[in-house]
Amino acid sequence: MKPLNSSPLWISVCLGLLLVAGCATTPPPNPALEQARQKIAALSDSPEINRLAAGELQDARNHLKEAEQIWQDGAEAAEVSHRARMAMRQADIAVEAAQARQADQQVERLSNQRERLRLEARTARAELAASRERLIAERERAERAQAEARRLAETTERVRAQQAQRESELQRQQAEMARQEADEMRLLAEQRAAELERQTEQMREEAQRLQQQLADLEAQATERGLVLTLGSDVLFDFDQADVKPGAERTITQIAAFLNEYEERQVLIEGFTDSTGSRDYNLALSERRAESVRNALVERDVDPARIQITGYGPDHPVASNDTDAGRQLNRRVEVIISDDNEEVPERD
Amino acid sequence: MKTRLPILLPILLLGALVLSACATRPTAPAEELGAARSAVASAEDAGAREFAPDALHDARSMLQQAESARAAEDYPRARRLAIEAEVEARYAAFKARSARATAMIAELQQSNAALEAEIEAAKASARQAEGDAR
């Protein structure tokens, strides 16, 4: 218990020593410390610094406290200023730290926003691509529909054109057929015309030939018609009525002429010379005329067209006093009408 | 225990006296110098060379002075300068970080605006395409 009694003395000694060591007189003001004090006080009032840089602010305060302490303890001014500057720098750090954190937060916010925007952009791009694809698909569909419509129109047009072509072809064929028909008809007509002409020509030639023949037969054109005088000596033997074979050519020529001109009528007149009895001569001349008629009928001349008369010695053409005259008088005259009227009898 | 307190107290007080006077032989501030060096390196890593060149320069020059003081065995000055260098370096690091973030904000704002414009354009194009499709 003894040391307890002596303790107040120890304490007082120790305290005295402490005071001496601390140089505890009122220290002179330090501008750096003052500045730091003000700055840190201002920062302590800032809610942002408190919120964002509490640790750094506390560090600054601690440094300030230390500076205050050594200033209070009467430390060297350089040391106090050094400590004050440290506190000041610490305050600057608090400011920068607050700014950096605020910026970091903003960076984070913006980064998040950027992620969101990237996503949104990707979506928008995808939607745009989808829209474009839809647009392209829509356009393609429209184009296909147009192409289909065009194709249909072309087909319709083609069909119409083919139909028109077929129709025109048909018309052309019909026209061709009509033309061919017409050609054939024309050809036929031409042929017929040519044929007719040929026939006409033939007939004319024939007629000419016949005329010539008649001319050969020494036909004479008279008022009664064509008169052919055939010498009886040529036609008949003496005192006979049968036509001699040698006269055939003449008879055939006459028959041909009559067959050619079928409308013409014929009158056959027989004559004799005056030798012998009259009645006998009349009968002989008539028989001779009939013989000529028969010869013609044999050569296809219609008998109804042929009249006969026997005049005997009447109507002599020459004198019966001479042989030559009598020869001329012995004759048969074939008179062929110019038209279809019967040949008139002699007066 | 109560009986021992009166003896302990004076011993404690004496110890405190000895410490506050710092009068004993000072040692080299190796710890402080190491901290300052590492703070400068951190500031450089934070991009202080680009974004806080003045503060970084100050911190480096303080560190250099601290090293010189230590070489001269002026240990109190070396310690003080080392601590100042460390604080300056930390300041440079924060400043760089803040400047970098600010630059990034501008960049992000720009790119976000571009994205927004792109989105708007894409939407408008899509609307137009839809309109054309109909």
Side-chain angles (χ1 to χ4, degrees):
Chain A
M1 287 291 133
K2 255 187 180 173
L4 221 160
N5 291 341
S6 59
S7 64
L9 177 71
W10 275 108
I11 291 163
S12 57
V13 169
C14 285
L15 275 171
L17 277 167
L18 241 173
L19 280 169
V20 170
C23 313
T25 49
T26 37
N30 185 306
L33 183 60
E34 191 59 34
Q35 219 179 337
R37 214 180 272 150
Q38 280 174 11
K39 171 118 186 179
I40 287 164
L43 290 186
S44 297
D45 287 342
S46 162
E48 277 183 7
I49 302 293
N50 276 293
R51 184 162 56 82
L52 293 164
E56 286 76 9
L57 183 58
Q58 192 54 51
D59 279 355
R61 282 203 198 104
N62 289 343
H63 275 85
L64 181 62
K65 210 178 281 174
E66 276 178 35
E68 295 276 16
Q69 189 61 57
I70 63 161
W71 174 70
Q72 284 286 349
D73 293 349
E76 271 179 63
E79 183 64 22
V80 172
S81 293
H82 162 67
R83 292 297 176 102
R85 276 204 307 279
M86 297 299 295
M88 192 72 168
R89 224 41 180 152
Q90 203 65 49
D92 289 339
I93 287 172
V95 171
E96 284 301 327
Q99 271 181 17
R101 282 173 193 140
Q102 203 168 22
D104 282 350
Q105 283 176 3
Q106 206 177 342
V107 165
E108 200 185 339
R109 210 172 57 242
L110 285 168
S111 294
N112 290 338
Q113 191 188 10
R114 184 166 63 170
E115 282 315 301
R116 214 172 50 243
L117 286 171
R118 274 180 177 162
L119 194 68
E120 211 178 319
R122 208 161 39 234
T123 309
R125 275 196 292 269
E127 276 171 7
L128 174 58
S131 293
R132 285 198 174 136
E133 267 170 32
R134 269 200 300 280
L135 174 60
I136 288 164
E138 195 65 36
R139 279 192 183 145
E140 278 174 359
R141 203 164 60 223
E143 274 167 20
R144 270 202 305 278
Q146 276 177 359
E148 181 70 12
R150 244 193 331 268
R151 208 175 52 71
L152 270 175
E154 276 168 13
T155 305
T156 308
E157 192 52 39
R158 202 171 53 244
V159 166
R160 204 172 288 157
Q162 281 174 353
Q163 212 166 333
Q165 202 185 343
R166 267 202 295 276
E167 273 168 23
S168 76
E169 179 69 12
L170 200 65
Q171 281 176 355
R172 202 184 58 71
Q173 282 177 356
Q174 282 172 350
E176 178 70 11
M177 272 161 68
R179 200 176 58 73
Q180 280 177 358
E181 220 168 297
D183 280 356
E184 278 167 20
M185 299 269 278
R186 193 165 51 74
L187 204 63
L188 215 61
E190 277 171 7
Q191 282 173 353
R192 204 169 293 159
E195 178 72 13
L196 279 172
E197 200 168 338
R198 200 175 51 75
Q199 285 176 358
T200 307
E201 183 61 26
Q202 215 169 3
M203 279 161 69
R204 195 163 45 234
E205 277 171 10
E206 183 68 8
Q208 217 161 10
R209 197 172 51 75
L210 292 170
Q211 294 277 10
Q212 189 55 48
Q213 285 174 359
L214 287 178
D216 289 349
L217 293 171
E218 294 173 348
Q220 284 179 334
T222 67
E223 280 180 10
R224 295 165 71 203
L226 281 170
V227 178
L228 287 87
T229 304
L230 309 173
S232 289
D233 296 348
V234 179
L235 294 171
F236 309 105
D237 289 328
F238 178 73
D239 202 27
Q240 292 298 309
D242 298 322
V243 177
K244 289 200 289 194
E248 207 164 296
R249 207 177 91 86
T250 307
I251 297 297
T252 302
Q253 280 181 343
I254 294 167
F257 185 85
L258 290 175
N259 285 333
E260 190 66 34
Y261 300 100
E262 285 179 341
E263 77 286 358
R264 297 199 185 194
Q265 305 298 313
V266 185
L267 175 61
I268 302 170
E269 295 173 331
F271 301 93
T272 59
D273 57 19
S274 55
T275 313
S277 77
R278 177 176 168 79
D279 289 345
Y280 179 82
N281 280 334
L282 281 172
L284 179 65
S285 67
E286 196 171 332
R287 269 191 285 124
R288 283 185 167 171
E290 194 172 2
S291 283
V292 171
R293 181 172 77 166
N294 291 341
L296 290 174
V297 168
E298 273 174 26
R299 288 167 177 75
D300 296 332
V301 180
D302 185 359
R305 295 166 63 196
I306 308 169
Q307 309 299 317
I308 56 163
T309 311
Y311 287 107
D314 297 345
H315 309 295
V317 290
S319 170
N320 279 306
D321 294 342
T322 61
D323 275 349
R326 281 193 293 274
Q327 193 181 355
L328 288 173
N329 286 335
R330 291 193 297 274
R331 66 192 196 279
V332 171
E333 289 185 16
V334 177
I335 303 112
I336 300 167
S337 69
D338 291 330
D339 46 29
N340 55 359
E341 295 295 316
E342 272 184 26
V343 179
E345 297 267 328
R346 278 175 188 264
D347 304 327
Chain B
M1 287 292 269
K2 247 188 176 177
T3 51
R4 277 215 169 159
L5 196 72
I7 305 161
L8 254 173
L9 197 66
I11 294 164
L12 274 170
L13 284 168
L14 267 171
L17 189 77
V18 165
L19 277 171
S20 67
C22 305
T24 46
R25 12 177 96 243
T27 51
E31 209 178 309
E32 286 83 349
L33 279 165
R37 275 195 289 272
S38 106
V40 168
S42 293
E44 283 179 346
D45 287 350
R49 225 191 292 252
E50 190 185 346
F51 293 100
D54 293 348
L56 182 65
H57 179 264
D58 287 353
R60 270 184 180 150
S61 113
M62 284 170 190
L63 179 59
Q64 212 169 356
Q65 286 175 46
E67 303 272 16
S68 300
R70 194 195 63 162
E73 294 190 4
D74 185 352
Y75 297 139
R77 182 172 147 76
R79 174 176 288 110
R80 210 164 49 230
L81 281 165
I83 291 167
E84 278 192 40
E86 191 210 334
V87 171
E88 193 64 24
R90 280 173 58 210
Y91 173 70
F94 271 114
K95 206 174 157 71
R97 190 175 139 191
S98 149
R100 208 147 90 164
T102 305
M104 199 177 273
I105 285 165
E107 203 179 300
L108 279 168
Q109 278 170 342
Q110 208 174 335
S111 84
N112 284 3
L115 276 170
E116 272 168 357
E118 193 200 325
I119 289 162
E120 206 40 59
K123 279 179 176 171
S125 294
R127 271 197 301 276
Q128 172 144 24
E130 291 294 324
D132 286 355
R134 268 179 213 114

